Each structure stands twice: as structure tokens, then as C-alpha cells.
Amino acid sequence: MQLEAATIDIGTSRPLVLLHSNDAGELGAHPLDRVRIDHDEGTTTGIVKRTDELVNPGTVGVTEPLHHIHGVVGVTLAGTPQSVRYVRKKLDDIELEAHELEAIVTDIHENRLSDIELSAYVSAVYTNGLSLEETKHLTEAMSGVGQQLRWESPVVADKHSIGGVAGNCVTPILVAIVAEAGLTMPKTSSRAVTSPAGTADVMEVFCDVEFAMADIESIVDETNGCLVWGGGVDLSPVDDEIIRAEYPLSVDPTGQLIASVLSKKRSAGSSHVVIDIPYGEGAKVESLVAARELADDFKRVGVYLEMDIACAITHGTDPVGRGVGPVLEARDVLAVLEGAEDAPESLRVKSVRLADMLLEHCGVDASAADILNSGRALERFRRIITAQNGDPSVESSDLEPGTESATVRASRAGIATRVDNRQLCDLARRAGAPLDVCAGLVIHQTVGNEIALEEPLYTIYAETTTKLEEAKTLADRLEPIRVRSKADALVERR
């Protein structure tokens, strides 16, 4: 069928084509079927949407990924990608072979899967999991797609936290320390998936985080390190598409998590990586046994990919730092680097410990505490901010949260017996984080604190009254900081 291509301005990353119902009927094309489009530049596959109003008969509407298509084109019905069969196979809990996983990765990268099919893949992995062999092959396939960074240094340092702990923004501090110690550390980070702020969201408070490959190389040549968004440079781009499908459900299945982290690290050219695995009640990993199993899997996949992986199993029962949300976490980061008296000690201690671990892992004899305390890490951080088009003169006191706020206070006197990271993150997201960069929480208590009646537990910040009220309504139903009498606290410990 010959149709006239017309540009349709609908925001989507999928290659959707709009067909008038008359034309779709003549082709035998149903919604979400695929059509082959033969045009001047070659052949493209599109996913069908039927309409009676948005396009006229004789016209095919092409969305943003297909805006390069113009003029009269040939449109014919196309078959379903083979990878859809493999997604169904995974839904049936059948282990996938390397070539089957590679086909899924390739079709995701080439935009051949509809959003429903991509969601089915995410659901299958979440429900049925991935074996170690599947995880190895998936990681290899994902890292083989997209751009690759390569460095002259034989040792390229990196670090990643699996998340799940509120305010755990160690990475900017660690990068500044390690880069100042002379190591190459091109840190690519994700935006938030299930948290109120990813490292890229926090760094965007200070400077730009989206750069082309050549710009990243220049920044690292100048400063030894960078803190950029991995999705902006096409490193393991399939990971970003999968994260897009995971985000609405707030899921992050284990095998996919490993593939996500290590495919990005491999694409970034990292050779020595420290993985932070927090565990505890309310964290992503709730038991020490599960944390050790995850660490072993990370190391096994690392060996398969010829990457040197070390894992830090850390306590995740308490938030790290006080702020939760982009601006509030950025303020904590800068306070630690500045050596401010009111800087959160938990964030400083964890940053130093992980930095020391990474330095030792890379064979560098240096003290992270000395580099931090001397102010050299702060100067290195300011150099990175400058190289990434930010303002190096910014100070922690300059960073203000949202103007709308409410403080939740203790309804009884006692002891804080639990701080629930998941609930705190839910509250910060309800307040608007990470899209509203000034939204989030400030946490005033940690486990073990003695708390008086009406003493502040946490403060919610939002950019609008509506979102503050939504967060307060949720806070009324939750108990993110549990306060019990001394007698009840003693029973809980037993």
C-alpha cells in the first residue's frame, strides 16, 4: 500500500505509526501489529495505532523516532519479532539461551518491541528471576550495544550502590577523593528508578550531567573524574529502556539489577569496581544471607566479563545523611566535602570507608580521610563541577529546599526502634522528588535515639502546597520512624 508520510508530534520513544482505520483494515493491521515502511532511506518497522481522526485515509502518521521518513512510502504488514516468543518463554519460567537474550536486547535497542511487550519482559524477569547463566549472557549482550568508553590507564575505578537506603549519596564524595588520589574514575550514574534521587539527579543540582563521549573524555582528562548521566551517552542504552519500564512499578529484579550495573560499568571501560550492597529491614536486600548471595553473583558475573569486582556489604537499616531528594542530598554532599560542623557524620564515615576500599582495591596507598580532611577532595569536586559547566563557588548554605514544609513530630516519648527507608523514600517521592528537585525530606532521628513527646521526627519539603498535602496524607498512614517506650523497645531487641 502506498501512503503519504505525515509527521505526528506525540512524545514517545517507540516507533509508532498511526493508520486510518480504513487503511489499517485493508492491510489487516490491528493495534500493536507491526508494519514495514519502505522509504527513500531504507526500510523501517513501525508499531501500529489505529485512528479515525488524527490522520486521513491515504496517510501514515509517523511519530518522533520516525520523523526522518518523508514523502510517499510503501507500507506492508510485518511479522512479530522472534524475541516476543522468547519473552513468552520467560513468562513460562523457562531459562533462556544466550542467543535468545541477545535477540531480546537487540529488539529493545532497535525499538522493535511495543511498550506492552517490554513490560511483559520486565514482569517475566521480576516474577521468575534470572539464573546466573542468564545474568551473565544478558549483561554481555547489554554491554555490547551502544557506545563504549576506552581509557589509556589499565586501572579504571568505579563504584555503584544497589540503592534502597534513603539519602545514600556517597558517590560524589567518593569520586572527588579517588580522583584526587590520581585514579581515573569516569562515573556514569543513573537517574532515580525507585528512589527519590539518583546520583545523576543530585549532581544536576550542581552542574550539567548530559555530555557527548568526546566531552566526557575531555572532562576526565582534565580532572581524573566525572559524574555524568549514563543515559546521555548511549552506554548500555537498553538498560535505560528497561529502567523506563521498571520505573512505574518501582521494581528492580536481582538478575536485571546485576546486568544493569555491570553492563554500564563495562561500557564505561571500568576495570575495578566496588559494589555497595546495603541490607536490613526496609532496604532492598533485607538479610545478610541475601546480601552475601548477591555479592557472590556480582563477583561471578564480573569474572565472566573480566572485571575486578569487590563488594561492600553495609548496614541499610538507617538512612545515610539527613537529606532525601536532589537538593537536600546535594546539600549534605557539599557539607561533608566542606568539613562543616553540622555535616552528617554517617555520610562522611561511609564515604571514607568505601573510598578506602576502592583505593586499596585499585592498589593505591592513600588515605581517604586525609584527602577529605585536607580540603583536597573539595577542590577536586569544584574542578569537576567547573568542567561540567557548573558554578564552583556554590556552598552548602546556598542550597535551599522547597518553600512548602511540614514537620512530623513524635506522638509519644520513647526510643526510635526502626527507621523505614522504603517509607521515607515513598514520602519523598509523594512530595515531588526527584522531578521537583527541591522536594524531599530532612530526617531528624536515627535508630536508638531517645525521643521526647512532640520532638521532630522528620520534615517534609515540597515545591507546591498540593504535593505537600499529598505527602502529609501519606505520612498519616505510615510510620517511617517507629517510636516505642523503653520497655517495649527492650522487648523488640529481644
Side-chain angles (χ1 to χ4, degrees):
M1 177 180 289
Q2 297 295 111
L3 299 174
E4 180 75 27
T7 298
I8 302 292
D9 186 15
I10 297 176
T12 175
S13 63
R14 304 286 94 189
L16 299 180
V17 297
L18 277 65
L19 293 174
H20 191 275
S21 294
N22 293 345
D23 295 330
E26 186 175 339
L27 277 172
H30 297 90
L32 300 182
D33 278 349
R34 289 162 181 81
V35 290
R36 170 176 166 161
I37 305 172
D38 294 306
H39 52 96
D40 290 342
E41 298 178 14
T43 299
T44 303
T45 300
I47 300 170
V48 172
K49 292 285 187 179
R50 293 174 61 138
T51 178
D52 290 323
E53 298 179 358
L54 295 180
V55 298
N56 296 319
T59 301
V60 55
V62 292
T63 55
E64 186 174 346
L66 304 177
H67 278 182
H68 61 284
I69 298 175
H70 303 284
V72 176
V73 298
V75 180
T76 55
L77 198 62
T80 301
Q82 184 76 6
S83 64
V84 174
R85 291 180 55 193
Y86 305 146
V87 171
R88 287 200 298 267
K89 185 175 174 181
K90 192 62 194 172
L91 283 166
D92 289 332
D93 198 15
I94 300 171
E95 186 167 342
L96 300 181
E97 302 292 334
H99 74 276
E100 295 171 330
L101 288 161
E102 185 176 349
I104 292 173
V105 167
T106 299
D107 283 347
I108 293 173
H109 183 238
E110 297 296 333
N111 286 323
R112 293 180 189 138
L113 298 187
S114 68
D115 283 337
I116 291 174
E117 290 158 348
L118 181 58
S119 297
Y121 166 76
V122 169
S123 299
V125 173
Y126 176 73
T127 303
N128 298 321
L130 293 171
S131 69
L132 183 60
E133 289 303 307
E134 285 178 308
T135 303
K136 290 176 181 177
H137 296 312
L138 177 62
T139 308
E140 187 172 37
M142 288 173 61
S143 63
V145 172
Q147 296 175 302
Q148 308 281 323
L149 284 166
R150 293 292 177 260
W151 308 97
E152 292 183 6
S153 174
V155 176
V156 179
D158 212 331
K159 171 264 175 190
H160 186 86
S161 173
I162 67 165
V165 176
N168 190 23
C169 200
V170 167
T171 299
I173 303 167
L174 184 145
V175 169
I177 292 170
V178 171
E180 179 61 26
L183 284 167
T184 298
M185 191 165 182
K187 184 72 180 76
T188 63
S189 300
S190 299
R191 297 192 186 277
V193 180
T194 58
S195 71
T199 299
D201 302 307
V202 173
M203 280 305 300
E204 204 162 32
V205 172
F206 297 112
C207 56
D208 293 341
V209 296
E210 295 188 35
F211 293 95
M213 298 282 281
D215 295 325
I216 292 176
E217 291 167 354
S218 176
I219 293 166
V220 174
D221 286 343
E222 181 182 346
T223 68
N224 287 350
C226 67
L227 287 143
V228 301
W229 176 48
V233 286
D234 205 33
L235 299 176
S236 187
V238 169
D239 180 46
D240 299 305
E241 285 299 303
I242 293 171
I243 286 173
R244 186 177 63 83
E246 292 174 333
Y247 184 84
L249 299 172
S250 292
V251 298
D252 203 4
T254 299
Q256 191 65 55
L257 166 67
I258 294 171
S260 172
V261 172
L262 294 188
S263 66
K264 277 284 199 288
K265 302 309 173 193
R266 193 183 194 209
S267 296
S270 304
S271 63
H272 292 66
V273 185
V274 165
I275 308 292
D276 174 28
I277 304 176
Y279 79 95
E281 187 178 9
K284 276 188 182 179
V285 179
E286 296 209 343
S287 72
L288 180 58
V289 170
R292 287 172 174 165
E293 289 175 352
L294 180 57
D296 287 342
D297 285 345
F298 264 113
K299 292 174 184 176
R300 291 186 184 108
V301 176
V303 169
Y304 178 77
L305 299 173
E306 298 182 342
M307 298 171 66
D308 201 339
I309 307 296
C311 293
I313 297 176
T314 58
H315 289 288
T317 50
D318 253 353
V320 179
R322 288 189 293 270
V324 183
V327 160
L328 292 163
E329 292 182 41
R331 186 169 68 179
D332 281 354
V333 164
L334 206 46
V336 169
L337 288 165
E338 291 168 345
E341 288 186 6
D342 61 346
E345 182 66 9
S346 56
L347 181 61
R348 189 195 73 82
V349 168
K350 185 167 185 178
S351 299
V352 167
R353 287 177 178 170
L354 288 178
D356 274 331
M357 183 175 181
L358 184 54
L359 291 170
E360 182 180 356
H361 189 52
C362 294
V364 174
D365 184 13
S367 166
D370 288 347
I371 294 171
L372 180 62
N373 295 339
S374 67
R376 289 158 52 205
L378 175 61
E379 290 307 310
R380 179 66 59 168
F381 186 67
R382 295 196 186 283
R383 286 179 60 187
I384 293 172
I385 289 177
T386 301
Q388 294 185 201
N389 305 322
D391 178 6
S393 66
V394 65
E395 298 181 357
S396 57
S397 57
D398 298 328
L399 302 176
E400 295 290 340
T403 55
E404 304 295 321
S405 66
T407 297
V408 176
R409 299 177 180 275
S411 59
R412 64 171 70 88
I415 295 174
T417 61
R418 180 193 180 195
V419 178
D420 191 310
N421 283 290
R422 189 173 289 117
Q423 291 188 20
L424 290 170
C425 289
D426 287 345
L427 279 170
R429 285 166 64 95
R430 187 64 61 90
L435 295 181
D436 295 345
V437 297
C438 295
L441 307 176
V442 170
I443 304 160
H444 303 302
Q445 306 293 341
T446 61
V447 171
N449 283 7
E450 290 196 22
I451 298 172
L453 178 66
E454 292 295 317
E455 189 171 351
L457 299 178
Y458 57 92
T459 299
I460 305 169
Y461 290 94
E463 295 183 6
T464 67
T465 303
T466 299
K467 289 187 179 179
L468 178 65
E469 291 302 319
E470 289 176 357
K472 286 168 61 179
T473 299
L474 179 61
D476 289 340
R477 302 200 304 267
L478 301 179
E479 191 182 27
I481 300 179
R482 184 170 61 201
V483 180
R484 296 291 182 265
S485 69
K486 290 184 179 181
D488 289 342
L490 184 60
V491 170
E492 279 193 22
R493 289 195 194 106
R494 290 175 179 171

